[in-house]
Each structure stands twice: as C-alpha cells, then as structure tokens.
C-alpha cells in the first residue's frame, strides 16, 4: 500500500482545490521543490504531481515547477495534467518523470494510451476522475456518459501500470476516500488501482489497512497532509512503504 503525497500545481505554486474548482484554491507553498524535498524527508517514497493549469489548457503549463520537483528529490514522481500526445509523454519521461498519467486522453483517445503503453511499458498510468460514478475530463470541467468502472475495464489488456481513481465530489473536502467504489473497480480489473479524493486522516489509514482494501495499490494524500490533520510518522508506521 503506497501513500502518495499530492503536489498540485497552479501558477507555479503548490495548491489544494476543493472539488476540482480552480477558484477554490488554497495556496500552501510557492516552492514546489522544497515541498517535494520535505515529503522525502518525512519518509514518503513516491510523489503524485498534477499540473492543474495544464489539465485545463490541454498542454503542460507548470514545467519549471515540475523540473524543480525533479531536481529536489530522488523519489519516483508520477505526473498528470494536460499530457495528451506521444511527444509530450516522451519528453516528460526523458526529463525524469517516472510515470505519466493520462486522464482526458484515456477517455477521449484510448488508442493513444495503448500506443504509449507499448512504447513505454510500465510507465503509463490511467487517471479516472469521476463525479457520481461518471467520468469527467478536461480538468474535470466536462462530464461524459461513461462509467468509471467501464473505462477501467477498457484498458484491462493495454498494459497500464496503474489506475488512479479520483472521486471529484470528495476531492479536497476531507470527507474520506470513496473506498467502496474504488474497491469495486479494483475487483473488476487486474491493473493496480490507487484511491484518490477526500483523504481525511488516520481514519482512512485504518480503512486502507483493512482486509477489504487489500487489492488496492495505494492512496493519494492531499489537504489532510498539508493542514496537519494527518501525522505522517503514524501513517507510514501503519502502512509501511515498499522500497
């Protein structure tokens, strides 16, 4: 069970949104590199980074901030937000990103995901962002008529390294992970599944440690870590991290 601290980038700063709304952003740091180094010192062994501006624009917009993160830590970083071409995927992997997350591209251009998985095995993650179980794209601004579980199953044979399932309605709200829906997806596929959206604190750590969450590969931590609701030492002790 891997815990991924989230670094969401807006205008070069580390922020947390509420329910994916850009106007409801709280700035926690103007130094993404320092934040990444801090998470490494705390003992986290992976990072989850999202270019929020890029997600809306359809192309990377916080490249300097991402480079600062890569320069400041040696832990693997997975990056999403506006990465929608083979060229962009290749460029980020060459710059040191461990895994690229494809969200909008997964829903709108599944052939791109399959091509990327063939070209970069083990380095492509599908991001499935859902509101009331339905997939949303383009920075969560546009809803589709596709169910999250169906989208996950569509890539069962593609060679995807992992799936990040985010409950948009819970994201940034500290209401607890939507484990029932995420576990349902994990039970439907063989691809590792990561829970995201609404992480609230040690209560969620206990839920992740329970047998019914055993199929999950990990969880993403956002606001609860930034505002001190989660004790990193206690969380990591409860869920020891793989090397």
């Amino acid at each position: 069970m891997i815990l991924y601290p989230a670094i969401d980038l807006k205008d070069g700063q580390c922020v947390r949104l509420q329910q994916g709304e850009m106007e409801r952003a709280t700035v926690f740091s103007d130094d993404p590199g320092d934040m990444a180094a801090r998470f490494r010192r705390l003992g986290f062994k992976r990072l989850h980074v999202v270019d929020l501006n890029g997600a809306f624009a359809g192309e990377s917009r916080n490249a300097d901030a991402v480079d600062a993160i890569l320069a400041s830590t040696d832990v693997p970083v997975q990056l999403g937000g506006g990465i929608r071409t083979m060229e962009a995927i290749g460029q980020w992997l060459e710059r040191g990103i461990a895994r690229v997350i494809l969200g909008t591209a997964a829903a709108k251009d599944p052939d791109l995901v399959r091509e990327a998985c063939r070209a970069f095995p083990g380095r492509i993650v599908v991001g499935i962002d859902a509101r009331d179980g339905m997939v949303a794209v383009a920075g969560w601004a546009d809803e589709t008529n596709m169910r999250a579980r169906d989208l996950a199953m569509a890539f069962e044979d593609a060679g995807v390294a992992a799936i990040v399932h985010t409950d948009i309605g819970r994201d940034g709200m500290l209401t607890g992970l939507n484990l029932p829906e995420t576990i349902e997806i994990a039970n439907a596929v063989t691809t590792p599944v990561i829970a995201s959206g609404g992480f609230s604190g040690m209560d969620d750590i206990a839920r992740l440690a329970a047998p019914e969450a055993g199929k999950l590969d990990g969880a993403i931590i956002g606001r609860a870590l930034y505002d001190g609701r989660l004790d990193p030492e206690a969380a990591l002790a409860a869920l020891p991290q793989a090397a």
Side-chain angles (χ1 to χ4, degrees), residues 136-232:
V137 297
W140 303 352
D142 301 328
E143 292 189 26
T144 71
N145 60 0
M146 186 183 309
R147 296 200 63 82
R149 182 175 179 271
D150 294 339
L151 182 57
M153 293 178 66
F155 294 109
E156 178 69 354
D157 62 346
V160 173
I163 291 170
V164 175
H165 171 248
T166 301
D167 186 318
I168 298 169
R170 295 174 183 243
D171 194 69
M173 304 304 290
L174 300 166
T175 52
L177 294 165
N178 185 351
L179 288 187
E181 188 169 316
T182 308
I183 291 170
E184 179 186 353
I185 292 172
N187 286 333
V189 298
T190 59
T191 307
V193 177
I194 300 166
S196 175
F199 195 103
S200 62
M202 289 303 294
D203 285 347
D204 274 324
I205 293 293
R207 295 169 69 209
L208 289 167
E212 54 267 29
K215 278 206 68 176
L216 297 182
D217 191 60
I220 294 169
I221 312 170
R223 188 176 291 268
L225 186 57
Y226 283 86
D227 69 8
R229 294 170 189 256
L230 181 71
D231 179 343

XYZ file of all heavy atoms in Angstrom, residues 136-232:
697
model
N -15.236 12.386 -15.725
C -15.133 13.795 -16.124
C -13.743 14.035 -16.692
O -12.767 13.404 -16.275
C -15.394 14.721 -14.938
N -13.630 14.964 -17.642
C -12.362 15.216 -18.327
C -12.087 16.717 -18.400
O -12.881 17.535 -17.924
C -12.385 14.615 -19.758
C -12.545 13.101 -19.702
C -13.514 15.233 -20.594
N -10.927 17.059 -19.010
C -10.539 18.458 -19.222
C -10.515 19.242 -17.916
O -11.165 20.263 -17.767
C -11.457 19.128 -20.242
N -9.710 18.723 -16.947
C -9.655 19.386 -15.661
C -10.952 19.253 -14.886
O -11.270 20.117 -14.057
N -11.686 18.189 -15.174
C -12.950 17.872 -14.503
C -14.077 18.818 -14.909
O -15.163 18.802 -14.327
C -12.813 17.888 -12.978
C -11.764 16.970 -12.433
C -11.058 16.040 -13.116
C -11.302 16.889 -11.083
N -10.189 15.380 -12.284
C -10.314 15.881 -11.029
C -11.643 17.572 -9.922
C -9.653 15.552 -9.859
C -10.982 17.233 -8.750
C -10.002 16.236 -8.727
N -13.844 19.627 -15.934
C -14.852 20.602 -16.349
C -15.967 19.964 -17.169
O -17.101 20.458 -17.175
C -14.196 21.718 -17.156
N -15.652 18.883 -17.874
C -16.630 18.261 -18.769
C -16.944 16.840 -18.314
O -16.034 16.019 -18.136
C -16.086 18.214 -20.206
C -15.757 19.595 -20.746
O -16.442 20.555 -20.351
O -14.802 19.701 -21.534
N -18.228 16.552 -18.157
C -18.635 15.208 -17.772
C -18.977 14.394 -19.016
O -19.444 14.919 -20.019
C -19.832 15.260 -16.826
C -19.492 15.853 -15.469
C -20.627 15.694 -14.471
O -21.433 14.746 -14.617
O -20.708 16.523 -13.552
N -18.725 13.089 -18.931
C -19.033 12.187 -20.037
C -20.188 11.273 -19.617
O -20.675 11.341 -18.497
C -17.804 11.321 -20.385
O -17.600 10.359 -19.331
C -16.549 12.175 -20.524
N -20.594 10.407 -20.520
C -21.633 9.426 -20.193
C -21.023 8.043 -19.944
O -21.680 7.021 -20.083
C -22.675 9.348 -21.316
C -22.047 8.946 -22.646
O -20.840 8.718 -22.739
N -22.873 8.844 -23.670
N -19.741 8.043 -19.559
C -19.013 6.804 -19.346
C -18.822 6.546 -17.851
O -18.424 7.452 -17.109
C -17.645 6.881 -20.033
C -16.841 5.594 -20.003
S -15.206 5.821 -20.767
C -15.670 6.570 -22.334
N -19.081 5.336 -17.412
C -18.880 4.988 -16.014
C -17.400 4.697 -15.745
O -16.684 4.167 -16.598
C -19.724 3.775 -15.618
C -21.236 4.024 -15.693
C -22.010 3.033 -14.860
N -21.679 3.169 -13.438
C -22.232 4.088 -12.635
N -23.126 4.940 -13.106
N -21.871 4.133 -11.366
N -16.957 5.066 -14.548
C -15.550 4.890 -14.192
C -15.117 3.432 -14.308
O -14.038 3.121 -14.836
C -15.321 5.408 -12.774
N -15.949 2.533 -13.829
C -15.605 1.106 -13.876
C -15.442 0.630 -15.312
O -14.536 -0.151 -15.623
C -16.686 0.295 -13.160
C -16.431 -1.204 -13.083
C -17.520 -1.862 -12.243
N -17.347 -3.305 -12.138
C -17.845 -4.174 -12.994
N -18.552 -3.737 -14.045
N -17.651 -5.465 -12.831
N -16.306 1.101 -16.213
C -16.228 0.682 -17.615
C -14.945 1.176 -18.265
O -14.327 0.455 -19.069
C -17.445 1.190 -18.387
C -18.746 0.542 -17.920
O -18.681 -0.541 -17.322
O -19.813 1.142 -18.149
N -14.534 2.421 -17.923
C -13.302 2.949 -18.502
C -12.103 2.153 -18.001
O -11.184 1.849 -18.774
C -13.139 4.429 -18.137
C -11.908 5.133 -18.724
C -11.885 5.033 -20.244
C -11.869 6.608 -18.294
N -12.099 1.798 -16.734
C -11.006 0.989 -16.200
C -10.919 -0.352 -16.920
O -9.827 -0.806 -17.312
C -11.209 0.779 -14.706
N -12.051 -0.980 -17.145
C -12.072 -2.294 -17.788
C -11.648 -2.218 -19.251
O -11.117 -3.194 -19.804
C -13.464 -2.908 -17.658
C -13.834 -3.264 -16.222
S -15.516 -3.933 -16.066
C -15.344 -5.478 -16.956
N -11.827 -1.060 -19.865
C -11.469 -0.904 -21.279
C -9.968 -1.020 -21.506
O -9.527 -1.302 -22.625
C -11.972 0.447 -21.793
N -9.170 -0.807 -20.446
C -7.714 -0.863 -20.593
C -7.117 -2.102 -19.934
O -5.911 -2.162 -19.691
C -7.084 0.402 -20.009
C -7.430 1.648 -20.766
C -8.283 2.583 -20.231
C -6.922 1.865 -22.037
C -8.625 3.722 -20.927
C -7.249 3.003 -22.750
C -8.111 3.936 -22.207
N -7.960 -3.100 -19.672
C -7.500 -4.287 -18.969
C -6.371 -4.995 -19.708
O -5.466 -5.555 -19.074
C -8.691 -5.239 -18.748
C -8.347 -6.528 -18.071
C -7.952 -6.382 -16.608
O -7.827 -5.240 -16.128
O -7.735 -7.405 -15.956
N -6.374 -4.948 -21.019
C -5.351 -5.663 -21.793
C -4.316 -4.727 -22.406
O -3.540 -5.136 -23.274
C -6.007 -6.489 -22.896
C -6.754 -5.617 -23.903
O -6.981 -4.419 -23.608
O -7.110 -6.127 -24.986
N -4.272 -3.475 -21.944
C -3.409 -2.478 -22.587
C -2.001 -2.427 -22.001
O -1.099 -1.850 -22.606
C -4.049 -1.093 -22.497
N -1.817 -2.978 -20.816
C -0.507 -2.891 -20.185
C -0.325 -1.647 -19.341
O 0.809 -1.204 -19.114
N -1.432 -1.080 -18.842
C -1.364 0.109 -17.992
C -0.706 -0.253 -16.660
O -1.001 -1.287 -16.060
C -2.790 0.670 -17.744
C -2.771 1.787 -16.731
C -3.387 1.143 -19.067
N 0.195 0.615 -16.185
C 0.925 0.337 -14.946
C 0.038 0.465 -13.722
O 0.222 -0.256 -12.733
C 2.117 1.288 -14.818
N -0.909 1.391 -13.749
C -1.804 1.613 -12.612
C -2.970 2.478 -13.064
O -2.918 3.126 -14.123
C -1.078 2.280 -11.450
N -4.017 2.473 -12.246
C -5.169 3.350 -12.444
C -5.336 4.189 -11.192
O -5.338 3.656 -10.078
C -6.454 2.534 -12.692
C -6.397 1.839 -14.052
C -7.697 3.432 -12.603
C -7.504 0.828 -14.270
N -5.445 5.503 -11.363
C -5.767 6.395 -10.244
C -7.246 6.741 -10.347
O -7.680 7.365 -11.322
C -4.922 7.682 -10.277
C -5.376 8.638 -9.161
C -3.449 7.362 -10.119
N -8.019 6.337 -9.351
C -9.450 6.650 -9.341
C -9.706 7.771 -8.348
O -9.473 7.618 -7.143
C -10.268 5.423 -8.949
C -11.715 5.735 -8.719
N -12.318 5.669 -7.476
C -12.685 6.160 -9.580
C -13.588 6.023 -7.581
N -13.832 6.319 -8.844
N -10.181 8.902 -8.849
C -10.442 10.073 -8.019
C -11.931 10.366 -7.971
O -12.579 10.508 -9.012
C -9.704 11.318 -8.568
O -8.303 11.048 -8.608
C -9.964 12.529 -7.683
N -12.463 10.481 -6.765
C -13.847 10.912 -6.578
C -13.840 12.442 -6.485
O -13.425 13.015 -5.483
C -14.428 10.307 -5.300
C -15.909 10.604 -5.135
O -16.320 11.751 -5.412
O -16.657 9.711 -4.717
N -14.295 13.095 -7.545
C -14.232 14.547 -7.634
C -15.027 15.215 -6.518
O -14.598 16.218 -5.933
C -14.740 15.027 -9.003
C -13.850 14.479 -10.114
C -14.804 16.549 -9.063
C -14.419 14.687 -11.504
N -16.188 14.679 -6.212
C -17.036 15.289 -5.196
C -16.400 15.320 -3.822
O -16.743 16.153 -2.980
N -15.452 14.416 -3.568
C -14.790 14.356 -2.269
C -13.460 15.088 -2.259
O -12.935 15.399 -1.191
C -14.555 12.890 -1.879
C -15.838 12.107 -1.650
C -15.525 10.640 -1.408
N -16.745 9.866 -1.247
C -17.076 9.213 -0.135
N -16.276 9.242 0.911
N -18.193 8.522 -0.069
N -12.895 15.341 -3.440
C -11.535 15.859 -3.523
C -11.392 17.188 -2.786
O -12.135 18.145 -3.039
C -11.127 16.039 -4.989
C -9.638 16.232 -5.128
O -8.901 15.257 -4.881
O -9.215 17.353 -5.459
N -10.441 17.237 -1.865
C -10.188 18.443 -1.101
C -11.183 18.730 -0.009
O -11.089 19.759 0.662
N -12.143 17.839 0.212
C -13.216 18.087 1.171
C -13.004 17.377 2.507
O -13.767 17.585 3.455
C -14.558 17.658 0.580
C -14.891 18.330 -0.750
S -14.859 20.139 -0.676
C -16.313 20.442 0.336
N -11.983 16.510 2.590
C -11.646 15.816 3.844
C -12.803 14.961 4.357
O -12.974 14.799 5.563
C -11.220 16.830 4.916
C -9.995 17.690 4.581
C -9.889 18.873 5.536
C -8.723 16.855 4.627
N -13.573 14.398 3.448
C -14.749 13.606 3.837
C -14.483 12.108 3.816
O -15.390 11.318 4.079
C -15.931 13.927 2.911
O -15.512 13.788 1.546
C -16.429 15.342 3.132
N -13.266 11.713 3.500
C -12.924 10.297 3.448
C -12.899 9.762 2.029
O -13.684 10.181 1.176
N -11.985 8.844 1.769
C -11.880 8.221 0.457
C -13.149 7.447 0.106
O -13.799 6.885 0.993
C -10.697 7.252 0.430
C -9.294 7.849 0.567
C -8.303 6.746 0.888
C -8.891 8.580 -0.702
N -13.479 7.422 -1.166
C -14.608 6.610 -1.630
C -14.096 5.189 -1.888
O -13.936 4.755 -3.029
C -15.214 7.205 -2.897
C -16.460 6.467 -3.347
O -16.789 5.403 -2.823
N -17.170 7.013 -4.312
N -13.831 4.467 -0.795
C -13.257 3.138 -0.948
C -14.211 2.129 -1.568
O -13.768 1.280 -2.350
C -12.730 2.638 0.397
C -11.455 3.326 0.896
C -10.929 2.633 2.143
C -10.375 3.355 -0.173
N -15.511 2.161 -1.264
C -16.383 1.168 -1.905
C -16.310 1.198 -3.429
O -16.184 0.147 -4.075
C -17.777 1.547 -1.396
C -17.521 2.166 -0.058
C -16.243 2.935 -0.232
N -16.375 2.392 -4.008
C -16.339 2.486 -5.471
C -14.955 2.133 -6.008
O -14.827 1.467 -7.041
C -16.733 3.896 -5.914
C -16.907 4.027 -7.419
C -17.549 5.344 -7.815
O -18.526 5.745 -7.153
O -17.080 5.964 -8.772
N -13.907 2.571 -5.303
C -12.549 2.274 -5.764
C -12.261 0.779 -5.660
O -11.644 0.195 -6.561
C -11.526 3.073 -4.937
O -11.876 4.454 -4.938
C -10.137 2.928 -5.534
N -12.699 0.158 -4.585
C -12.500 -1.280 -4.427
C -13.292 -2.050 -5.489
O -12.825 -3.076 -6.006
C -12.890 -1.730 -3.008
C -11.880 -1.168 -1.989
C -12.959 -3.247 -2.905
C -12.295 -1.335 -0.553
N -14.478 -1.563 -5.837
C -15.264 -2.201 -6.898
C -14.483 -2.206 -8.210
O -14.469 -3.211 -8.930
C -16.587 -1.467 -7.086
C -17.460 -2.062 -8.186
C -18.710 -1.247 -8.475
O -18.979 -0.282 -7.735
O -19.421 -1.591 -9.441
N -13.830 -1.098 -8.512
C -13.013 -1.028 -9.723
C -11.838 -1.989 -9.618
O -11.524 -2.735 -10.554
C -12.525 0.414 -9.963
C -13.706 1.319 -10.326
C -11.465 0.462 -11.065
C -13.354 2.798 -10.398
N -11.172 -1.991 -8.454
C -10.010 -2.865 -8.261
C -10.386 -4.341 -8.406
O -9.594 -5.145 -8.924
C -9.396 -2.616 -6.897
N -11.585 -4.693 -7.988
C -12.033 -6.079 -8.098
C -12.400 -6.462 -9.524
O -12.480 -7.656 -9.849
C -13.237 -6.317 -7.174
C -12.846 -6.383 -5.715
O -11.718 -6.736 -5.376
N -13.773 -6.026 -4.838
N -12.631 -5.445 -10.371
C -13.043 -5.716 -11.753
C -11.868 -5.840 -12.714
O -12.040 -6.312 -13.842
C -13.985 -4.610 -12.239
N -10.686 -5.407 -12.280
C -9.523 -5.408 -13.169
C -8.320 -6.045 -12.474
O -8.302 -6.197 -11.251
C -9.157 -3.971 -13.614
C -10.303 -3.342 -14.393
C -8.782 -3.091 -12.417
N -7.307 -6.363 -13.264
C -6.049 -6.851 -12.691
C -5.032 -5.734 -12.531
O -4.023 -5.902 -11.855
C -5.449 -7.958 -13.578
O -5.220 -7.442 -14.898
C -6.392 -9.150 -13.667
N -5.284 -4.587 -13.144
C -4.395 -3.431 -13.036
C -4.406 -2.890 -11.611
O -5.472 -2.767 -11.007
C -4.859 -2.326 -14.003
O -4.986 -2.866 -15.316
C -3.870 -1.173 -14.019
N -3.254 -2.538 -11.046
C -3.226 -1.917 -9.723
C -4.043 -0.628 -9.703
O -3.988 0.162 -10.655
C -1.740 -1.631 -9.487
C -1.023 -2.607 -10.366
C -1.889 -2.760 -11.575
N -4.808 -0.416 -8.630
C -5.682 0.745 -8.517
C -5.293 1.575 -7.291
O -5.088 1.027 -6.202
C -7.162 0.328 -8.435
C -8.062 1.544 -8.242
C -7.573 -0.425 -9.698
N -5.234 2.888 -7.486
C -4.870 3.842 -6.439
C -6.090 4.702 -6.119
O -6.726 5.243 -7.025
C -3.698 4.733 -6.898
C -2.466 3.866 -7.217
C -3.359 5.783 -5.848
C -1.388 4.615 -7.991
N -6.404 4.833 -4.836
C -7.558 5.626 -4.403
C -7.168 7.087 -4.230
O -6.084 7.406 -3.734
C -8.098 5.077 -3.079
N -8.088 7.982 -4.601
C -7.809 9.414 -4.503
C -9.102 10.190 -4.307
O -10.152 9.806 -4.815
C -7.106 9.890 -5.785
O -6.915 11.284 -5.786
N -8.987 11.294 -3.560
C -10.133 12.186 -3.390
C -10.778 12.077 -2.034
O -11.461 11.105 -1.745
N -10.528 13.078 -1.167
C -11.221 13.139 0.114
C -10.472 12.570 1.301
O -11.037 12.480 2.395
N -9.207 12.176 1.105
C -8.446 11.587 2.211
C -8.554 12.484 3.441
O -8.271 13.672 3.384
C -6.985 11.435 1.804
C -6.189 10.525 2.693
C -5.885 9.247 2.286
C -5.761 10.952 3.941
C -5.154 8.396 3.109
C -5.046 10.112 4.765
C -4.735 8.835 4.359
N -8.955 11.884 4.584
C -9.303 12.697 5.752
C -8.337 12.591 6.915
O -8.330 13.458 7.788
C -10.703 12.300 6.253
O -10.712 10.941 6.652
N -7.524 11.539 6.988
C -6.624 11.391 8.119
C -6.441 9.938 8.503
O -6.556 9.031 7.677
N -6.165 9.699 9.788
C -5.858 8.350 10.248
C -7.035 7.394 10.103
O -6.833 6.187 10.023
C -5.372 8.394 11.692
C -3.978 9.005 11.855
S -2.682 8.165 10.878
C -2.624 6.551 11.677
N -8.252 7.905 10.080
C -9.398 7.023 9.841
C -9.271 6.332 8.487
O -9.576 5.134 8.348
C -10.717 7.801 9.914
C -11.116 8.149 11.331
O -10.516 7.589 12.270
O -12.023 8.981 11.498
N -8.815 7.083 7.490
C -8.632 6.481 6.168
C -7.446 5.526 6.158
O -7.461 4.520 5.435
C -8.453 7.569 5.102
C -9.782 8.070 4.559
O -10.707 7.255 4.420
O -9.896 9.275 4.287
N -6.423 5.822 6.930
C -5.297 4.889 7.047
C -5.796 3.549 7.575
O -5.444 2.480 7.066
C -4.202 5.454 7.962
C -3.541 6.687 7.322
C -3.164 4.391 8.280
C -2.738 6.400 6.080
N -6.650 3.587 8.602
C -7.209 2.351 9.160
C -8.043 1.610 8.124
O -7.993 0.369 8.036
C -8.044 2.679 10.394
N -8.811 2.338 7.335
C -9.634 1.702 6.309
C -8.765 1.065 5.230
O -9.079 -0.012 4.715
C -10.574 2.734 5.686
C -11.609 3.295 6.659
C -12.321 4.487 6.053
N -13.181 4.108 4.946
C -13.468 4.901 3.925
N -12.935 6.120 3.841
N -14.286 4.501 2.973
N -7.655 1.707 4.888
C -6.749 1.163 3.882
C -6.034 -0.085 4.389
O -5.637 -0.947 3.602
C -5.719 2.222 3.475
C -6.256 3.391 2.643
C -5.221 4.512 2.587
C -6.625 2.940 1.240
N -5.855 -0.177 5.707
C -5.184 -1.331 6.292
C -6.117 -2.523 6.472
O -5.659 -3.634 6.766
C -4.578 -0.945 7.643
N -7.418 -2.312 6.281
C -8.395 -3.384 6.475
C -8.317 -4.390 5.323
O -7.942 -4.036 4.196
C -9.801 -2.794 6.567
N -8.685 -5.643 5.580
C -8.589 -6.688 4.542
C -9.332 -6.355 3.261
O -8.858 -6.691 2.159
C -9.198 -7.915 5.234
C -8.980 -7.673 6.689
C -9.121 -6.191 6.880
N -10.499 -5.677 3.348
C -11.282 -5.417 2.145
C -10.584 -4.455 1.180
O -10.924 -4.386 0.005
C -12.667 -4.871 2.499
C -12.656 -3.660 3.397
C -12.777 -4.011 4.874
O -12.347 -5.108 5.272
O -13.304 -3.173 5.624
N -9.591 -3.712 1.683
C -8.840 -2.794 0.814
C -7.558 -3.426 0.305
O -6.737 -2.760 -0.324
C -8.529 -1.505 1.566
N -7.410 -4.719 0.540
C -6.160 -5.390 0.220
C -5.774 -5.371 -1.248
O -4.593 -5.469 -1.577
N -6.746 -5.237 -2.144
C -6.429 -5.225 -3.574
C -5.934 -3.875 -4.057
O -5.403 -3.763 -5.160
C -7.657 -5.640 -4.393
C -7.869 -7.138 -4.486
C -8.645 -7.508 -5.737
C -7.828 -7.242 -7.005
N -8.515 -7.684 -8.230
N -6.114 -2.829 -3.239
C -5.678 -1.501 -3.665
C -4.160 -1.399 -3.612
O -3.507 -1.955 -2.732
C -6.305 -0.419 -2.789
C -7.834 -0.318 -2.837
C -8.305 0.838 -1.964
C -8.328 -0.134 -4.268
N -3.614 -0.640 -4.553
C -2.161 -0.458 -4.638
C -1.682 0.703 -3.785
O -0.514 0.766 -3.407
C -1.756 -0.230 -6.096
C -0.253 -0.312 -6.296
O 0.316 -1.383 -6.006
O 0.356 0.691 -6.716
N -2.572 1.642 -3.483
C -2.158 2.796 -2.703
C -3.236 3.848 -2.637
O -4.372 3.632 -3.064
N -2.854 5.013 -2.096
C -3.787 6.135 -1.960
C -3.022 7.436 -2.044
O -1.836 7.513 -1.679
C -4.543 6.047 -0.635
N -3.725 8.461 -2.516
C -3.140 9.793 -2.656
C -3.623 10.677 -1.518
O -4.816 10.730 -1.219
C -3.494 10.386 -4.031
C -2.805 9.554 -5.130
C -3.083 11.853 -4.120
C -3.264 9.857 -6.523
N -2.670 11.375 -0.889
C -2.971 12.238 0.248
C -2.779 13.682 -0.165
O -1.735 14.039 -0.716
C -2.049 11.941 1.437
C -1.967 10.444 1.708
C -2.513 12.682 2.676
C -0.898 10.087 2.717
N -3.768 14.512 0.110
C -3.672 15.923 -0.236
C -3.792 16.833 0.963
O -2.885 16.949 1.792
N -4.939 17.473 1.093
C -5.145 18.509 2.102
C -4.875 18.016 3.530
O -4.350 18.763 4.357
C -6.572 19.054 1.994
C -6.849 20.272 2.867
C -8.246 20.801 2.621
N -8.366 21.386 1.294
C -8.168 22.678 1.024
N -7.819 23.503 1.992
N -8.336 23.139 -0.198
N -5.222 16.780 3.828
C -5.023 16.264 5.188
C -3.558 16.305 5.598
O -3.239 16.484 6.777
C -5.560 14.839 5.296
N -2.665 16.148 4.635
C -1.235 16.196 4.916
C -0.744 17.636 5.034
O 0.080 17.961 5.890
C -0.475 15.468 3.805
C 1.027 15.276 3.980
C 1.338 14.528 5.266
C 1.599 14.516 2.781
N -1.299 18.509 4.199
C -0.856 19.903 4.190
C -1.304 20.669 5.432
O -0.587 21.541 5.926
C -1.386 20.614 2.944
C -0.628 20.285 1.683
C -0.951 19.170 0.919
C 0.414 21.087 1.236
C -0.269 18.861 -0.239
C 1.113 20.795 0.076
C 0.770 19.676 -0.663
O 1.456 19.371 -1.803
N -2.507 20.385 5.905
C -3.011 21.180 7.029
C -2.803 20.521 8.388
O -3.298 21.000 9.409
C -4.486 21.555 6.830
C -5.440 20.377 6.924
O -4.998 19.270 7.292
O -6.637 20.562 6.636
N -2.050 19.411 8.416
C -1.666 18.812 9.675
C -2.646 17.827 10.275
O -2.437 17.334 11.387
N -3.714 17.485 9.550
C -4.668 16.507 10.084
C -4.092 15.096 10.103
O -4.540 14.259 10.886
C -5.957 16.520 9.244
C -6.746 17.807 9.338
C -7.863 17.835 8.295
N -8.489 19.148 8.231
C -9.672 19.428 8.761
N -10.349 18.484 9.386
N -10.171 20.648 8.667
N -3.134 14.843 9.237
C -2.527 13.521 9.177
C -1.115 13.582 9.747
O -0.302 14.412 9.340
C -2.473 13.008 7.737
C -1.859 11.614 7.582
C -2.802 10.550 8.133
C -1.534 11.318 6.121
N -0.814 12.685 10.673
C 0.528 12.544 11.222
C 1.314 11.623 10.289
O 1.045 10.416 10.239
C 0.439 11.939 12.627
C 1.804 11.736 13.269
O 2.822 11.743 12.559
O 1.845 11.549 14.497
N 2.279 12.166 9.524
C 2.992 11.331 8.546
C 3.684 10.139 9.180
O 3.662 9.033 8.623
C 4.009 12.305 7.936
C 3.449 13.662 8.185
C 2.720 13.568 9.482
